[in-house]
Amino acid sequence: MTYVITSACVDVKHKACAAECPVDCIYEGDRTMYINAEECVDCGACRLLCEVDAIFYEDDLPDSERAFLADNAAFFGEVLPGRQAPLGAPGGAAGTGPLGADTPFVTALPRQ
Ligand code: SF4
Ligand code: SF4
């Protein structure tokens, strides 16, 4: 199980959540942030900090946001534009820094 970042973060991305994640598993894409499900310890701290209510526990995702579960996973499991290999579970966003890329799903979303 994991927490998932959804549509309300796209083009907002003020990163309050990432600063408080105890395992540093919230990674910065170009237009949004992504939670690494393999690294998330389900503490819920990020959800409380998100002013736009973009973060949901996997089981609580509204139907309209459910696609973001697979999309957050795709950010780590598929090869992003400009990279040679999937990110996988890199062990903390401090080590990767901003990735400067998004999944095709997020890239295709209209600007907010
Ligand atoms: S706190 Fe919410 S809006 Fe801000 S970066 Fe995190 S998920 Fe996105
Ligand atoms: S639920 Fe906790 S561990 Fe998971 S992303 Fe949010 S703050 Fe990080």
Side-chain angles (χ1 to χ4, degrees), residues 5 9 12-17 33 50 52 54-55:
I5 293 179
C9 182
V12 175
K13 208 182 77 169
H14 53 44
K15 300 186 248 184
C17 55
M33 308 290 281
C50 182
V52 297
I55 306 177

Side-chain angles (χ1 to χ4, degrees), residues 21-36:
C21 177
V23 294
D24 194 25
C25 73
I26 305 178
Y27 293 77
E28 183 176 355
D30 183 30
R31 295 179 62 194
T32 192
M33 308 290 281
Y34 301 83
I35 291 174
N36 190 308

